[in-house]
Amino acid sequence: MRGLFVTGTDTEIGKTVVAAALTAALAADGVAVGAFKPAVTGLDEEPDGDKPHDHELLAACAGMAPEDVAPYRFGPAVSPHLAAELAGEVIDAATLVAAARAAAGERGERVLIAEGVGGLLVPLTLDGVLVRDLVVALGLPLVVVARPGLGTINHTMLTIEAARGAGIDVRGVVLTPWPQEPTDMQRSNATTIEALSGVGVSTLARVPGFSVSELASAGATLPYDHWLS
Ligand SMILES: Nc1ncnc2c1ncn2[C@@H]1O[C@H](COP(=O)(O)OP(=O)(O)OP(=O)(O)O)[C@@H](O)[C@H]1O
Ligand SMILES: [Mg+2]
């Protein structure tokens, strides 16, 4: 399977913005692309502003049905393993892998952009299958989304170390939303993460809106050809 798995150092960190931007940019390049998110939670809450729920935005960028992007969808804004328990459902790891493969096409003809849930060590199932285990099962390289400011060096290095400990190839880090006039500390965070980890650090400016074309323009600023090569 060819593609990228987008994780983050936290929840609400910008994974959907980055994954949607990558999906939209690839589609705008004429690349066949599929999007995947193992589970969406928090559907009871109104989406904020003009940004739809994760699976809806990813689906719009990939030209898919939202249900085909995310096989498991829950109302409460809690970790997937708890959301499933509250709903009396069981998240099945084999179902997740099958849904990701379906999004990538029967013969893997679509580049798959997968967005994680929360961070890398979030449990997906009651029996302790983590997001990291899914990344390993799919065999996708990783992109780590992180905030630009104070604390990001530690969170990003922890995520990279947790990924590498499982043999995952970390292709890139994206600091988002990157301010128009970054502080010396924010610039230093980018160069320090790069120096400590050996992973290239990219930045993503705040997108003006969440239309597919605005996301495609944002995604075009990211080095996805390099990450996918
Ligand atoms: N480049 C950006 N442009 C605009 N908004 C951004 C950008 N980066 C982060 N944000 C904002 O940060 C918040 C979180 O973004 P997003 O929904 O992508 O996070 P997430 O990591 O996918 O969250 P979740 O864990 O719920 O899936 C949103 O309000 C989003 O608007
Ligand atoms: Mg998200």
Side-chain angles (χ1 to χ4, degrees), residues 113-203:
I113 301 298
E115 179 193 344
V117 187
L120 207 53
L121 300 191
V122 163
L124 289 171
T125 71
L126 267 183
D127 58 351
V129 175
L130 308 175
V131 169
R132 179 171 68 176
D133 299 313
L134 179 64
V135 181
V136 171
L138 298 177
L140 290 174
L142 199 69
V143 171
V144 179
V145 177
R147 64 174 61 84
L150 193 61
T152 204
I153 297 175
N154 178 54
H155 293 149
T156 306
M157 293 305 298
L158 285 171
T159 301
I160 291 172
E161 192 165 311
R164 286 178 169 162
I168 295 166
D169 179 8
V170 184
R171 291 280 164 88
V173 169
V174 181
L175 301 183
T176 184
W178 189 249
Q180 277 182 344
E181 292 179 17
T183 64
D184 289 346
M185 183 262 281
Q186 289 167 329
R187 288 182 201 278
S188 169
N189 285 344
T191 53
T192 303
I193 291 167
E194 220 165 60
L196 289 175
S197 67
V199 178
V201 175
S202 305
T203 59

Side-chain angles (χ1 to χ4, degrees), residues 207-228:
V207 296
F210 297 99
S211 69
V212 174
S213 62
E214 286 165 312
L215 288 163
S217 302
T221 68
L222 295 171
Y224 54 86
D225 283 337
H226 174 63
W227 292 341
L228 285 166

